[in-house]
Amino acid sequence: MEKLTGLKKIKTAVFISGTGSNLKNLIKFTKTKKSPISIDLIISNTNKATGLNFANQFKIKKKIFNFRKIKIIEKKILKLLEKDEIKFICLAGFMKILSKVFIKKFPGKIINIHPSLLPKYKGLNTHSRAINNKDKFAGCTVHFVNEKLDSGKIILQKKIKIKINDNLASLKKKVLKQEHKLYPAAIMKIFN
Ligand code: GRF
């Protein structure tokens, strides 16, 4: 990945669908001097994503796209990304699957955070699957996005212990706390 030269930060878009706690955390990280990226655009597939409030709060441009006609929408998004000179994309709780065509336009420049120890538990309901399987560990992973769901090269991973009295809510909370540390660390790792 290209090294940082001078003070210019890499213009980044964050894609969300929900609460946006990772988004908020990334925004805070990008305000620090050490951050190699700046967040210049927030994209959501739904106006119900409460994380969009962070766009208002931190005065970041936001756009909502209805993904029903994915080919058309992706073309529109690509145009916008080009216009806004976005060079890097962070998926943060984004619930739509980007097409091969889209991903190829940003080779090695799209990353995602996933709430499991990949390659275990790709897809949804990771925590309930871990609990139901009586796993001893859970965790989170930041990885590059490729054409296969949750299958790109792993950048960083954090493992945590599942305690006997953990339930879905407590596990989700504990993993999310680690996600908030892992995502910035993964970005630092990529660009340094
Ligand atoms: C996180 O657990 C993330 O790993 C997963 O979706 C959740 C999004 O949470 N992909 P938030 O919207 O960032 O709070």
Side-chain angles (χ1 to χ4, degrees), residues 83-127:
K83 186 172 123 289
D84 287 2
E85 298 176 330
I86 300 291
K87 305 285 185 222
F88 194 65
I89 296 173
C90 296
L91 307 183
F94 183 61
M95 300 303 283
K96 294 286 172 186
I97 296 172
L98 296 167
S99 75
K100 260 187 213 168
V101 177
F102 186 98
I103 293 166
K104 274 196 182 149
K105 299 271 183 193
F106 277 82
K109 302 279 190 319
I110 309 177
I111 64 172
N112 179 42
I113 188 151
H114 184 75
S116 81
L117 295 169
L118 288 173
K120 220 174 182 186
Y121 306 137
K122 296 172 184 171
L124 299 174
N125 306 318
T126 55
H127 301 319

Side-chain angles (χ1 to χ4, degrees), residues 13 15 43 65 67 70-82 86 88-91 94 97-110 145-147:
F15 287 34
I43 287 181
F65 290 96
F67 268 67
I70 184 158
K71 275 192 181 168
I72 298 171
I73 290 307
E74 284 189 341
K75 270 192 187 156
K76 282 190 183 173
I77 296 177
L78 285 169
K79 265 194 183 163
L80 176 65
L81 296 176
E82 198 180 339
I86 300 291
F88 194 65
I89 296 173
C90 296
L91 307 183
F94 183 61
I97 296 172
L98 296 167
S99 75
K100 260 187 213 168
V101 177
F102 186 98
I103 293 166
K104 274 196 182 149
K105 299 271 183 193
F106 277 82
K109 302 279 190 319
I110 309 177
V145 172
N146 65 9
E147 323 76 63

Side-chain angles (χ1 to χ4, degrees), residues 5-58:
T5 45
L7 291 171
K8 266 208 153 175
K9 296 198 174 198
I10 295 152
K11 287 193 174 189
T12 299
V14 181
F15 287 34
I16 62 164
S17 302
T19 323
S21 70
N22 277 291
L23 166 66
K24 184 184 182 196
N25 182 62
L26 284 179
I27 294 172
K28 286 195 169 164
F29 165 66
T30 58
K31 305 274 180 208
T32 64
K33 209 172 160 197
K34 67 176 181 192
S35 169
I37 65 165
S38 60
I39 296 173
D40 300 274
L41 180 63
I42 295 164
I43 287 181
S44 173
N45 62 304
T46 166
N47 59 11
K48 296 201 170 66
T50 50
L52 286 168
N53 293 328
F54 298 122
N56 306 340
Q57 188 182 332
F58 293 96

